[in-house]
Amino acid sequence: MPGSTEYDVIIAGAGPAGSTAGYILAEAGLRVLIIDKSTFPREKLCAGCITAKTVKLLQRVFGEGTADLRKGNIINFEARRYEIFYRDKLIIGRDTNLPFYFVERYTYDDFLLKKARGAGAEVIEGDGVEYFDADRNSIRTSSGRTFTARFIIGADGINSVMRRFFPEDKINKRHWQENLATGLEIFIDRSALKEEINHPLLCFDYVNYGYSWLFPNRDRLIAGTGGLNVKNRRQLLSAFRKFLSTLDIGEVRPRRIKGYPFPYGNFLREPVHGNIMLVGDAAGFADPLLGEGIFYAQRSAELASTAILNVMKKGMKAGDAAAETAREYIRLLQHCLYTEFDYALKTRNFIFNYFNKFNSLALKMLMTVLGSRPVETIHGLRSYRWMKKHES
Ligand SMILES: Cc1cc2nc3c(=O)[nH]c(=O)nc-3n(C[C@H](O)[C@H](O)[C@H](O)COP(=O)(O)OP(=O)(O)OC[C@H]3O[C@@H](n4cnc5c(N)ncnc54)[C@H](O)[C@@H]3O)c2cc1C
């Protein structure tokens, strides 16, 4: 209904989380408005690695299989091998029948937003959400427009504006800051590297509580380093430069290096307030060991949308419906995400403490003993629970 200011659902942010929710809800026939401060296609700093569980979600939600995604250039590279290094020492290199897929966010996010628009969601670009009025269930944008909705989904990323309207007891600020990470990245032309690299490399020990990566795309590679802010202070940039020096690509000018925060264990247990539900990075939903966030952005959006649709079917009054939807969303998160996050967090703490003591030999022994289990876990075929016995 163009021109209307009343919707069933308003979604702040059109990243993977916002567009996934927008698509599901508009497909179900709801009046949906997506608002993003950027104009699409837009860049988002990211290494663009997606795993089997994301591809499965793209099939389940959007009906897009890998063949279509390759054809549409949404998946632009895939690799059936990975290597893990401890500094510049190769620890393990394995072939896998579970491919890692690579996307460019410029294309991927635009593709998802077009899907949401195609399903009937209205989209406002280039105008950010600025204010939330709890009494009226309305939001105001930077340009001064006001819109109301029964439900509001905050999908506006790690620096979420919607999260600022949550009471302090729902956001433990100290815990949030302690588990916030920063990633630094550069793009590298394939021609700049002496050897051809067609699979992902993960390198440990350049940073504390984090790692470095070199991921392939069709036309270029992405080198990055990310780690917890509190464990690395100002050393992240020098750690990244040390990692880059092993790639032998010559002088890297500071302007080429881009940085952006990402959630790394600071997921919110109660990402709901009034009729607002937070999804994706806004709620801190990323894998606490690897920082993988695209899947969790889309999965949490799917769960929030399911909660809305389940409750709307019951035909409840607005206030009751908001409370019931919040409960339903948390129940789904508990069932589908929180247990995994808890075990991934324990695994992370175990791994980074352990490495600090025993270095590369420990990593090699661990990877040999675990075999294909870590990769199956990353792809969603196995739970992080298999690390439980290492807790004590
Ligand atoms: C360096 C780096 C590398 C990464 N690599 C990977 C990887 O390889 N694989 C992986 O799975 N994850 C990776 N991640 C994490 C991943 O990028 C995020 O988890 C993912 O983008 C989260 O999606 P989202 O939709 O929640 O938020 P975003 O993608 O951040 O989208 C949020 C959207 O909200 C909009 N917005 C912001 N404020 C407002 C506002 N006030 N009003 C309206 N709109 C607003 C923004 O313009 C943006 O479009 C990486 C992150 C970093 C920093």
Side-chain angles (χ1 to χ4, degrees), residues 167-307:
E168 286 201 1
D169 59 318
K170 293 204 176 175
I171 318 269
N172 180 338
K173 281 194 179 155
R174 190 164 156 222
H175 179 259
W176 180 270
Q177 288 302 332
E178 280 175 355
N179 290 280
L180 190 64
T182 298
L184 302 175
E185 281 188 339
I186 61 162
F187 295 118
I188 304 173
D189 277 348
R190 281 188 168 274
S191 60
L193 285 172
K194 295 203 170 81
E195 58 177 312
E196 197 168 322
I197 292 181
N198 288 316
H199 56 266
L201 315 181
L202 294 191
C203 306
F204 289 94
D205 202 43
Y206 288 103
V207 283
N208 299 317
Y209 281 74
Y211 61 95
S212 301
W213 59 87
L214 184 63
F215 285 176
N217 266 214
R218 192 178 46 218
D219 306 322
R220 60 190 185 182
L221 291 111
I222 301 177
T225 291
L228 277 185
N229 295 347
V230 289
K231 299 280 182 186
N232 293 285
R233 303 278 167 201
R234 287 162 208 275
Q235 292 147 22
L236 198 66
L237 183 59
S238 59
F240 186 38
R241 284 197 173 280
K242 270 187 203 142
F243 169 59
L244 289 176
S245 69
T246 66
L247 303 178
D248 202 12
I249 50 169
E251 174 71 14
V252 175
R253 291 182 185 201
R255 274 178 52 204
R256 269 180 75 193
I257 301 176
K258 308 270 185 252
Y260 202 72
F262 64 93
Y264 199 46
N266 45 358
F267 54 96
L268 302 181
R269 299 271 173 187
E270 224 182 309
V272 291
H273 172 53
N275 69 340
I276 309 175
M277 284 180 283
L278 298 179
V279 295
D281 273 13
F285 292 155
D287 180 308
L289 174 63
L290 293 170
E292 176 189 5
I294 299 171
F295 170 74
Y296 293 100
Q298 297 193 256
R299 182 71 176 127
S300 56
E302 186 186 18
L303 298 178
S305 307
T306 303

Side-chain angles (χ1 to χ4, degrees), residues 351-365:
I351 286 180
F352 288 117
N353 287 328
Y354 194 63
F355 285 169
N356 287 348
K357 285 186 199 141
F358 300 105
N359 300 331
S360 64
L361 189 62
L363 178 57
K364 190 167 187 139
M365 278 165 56

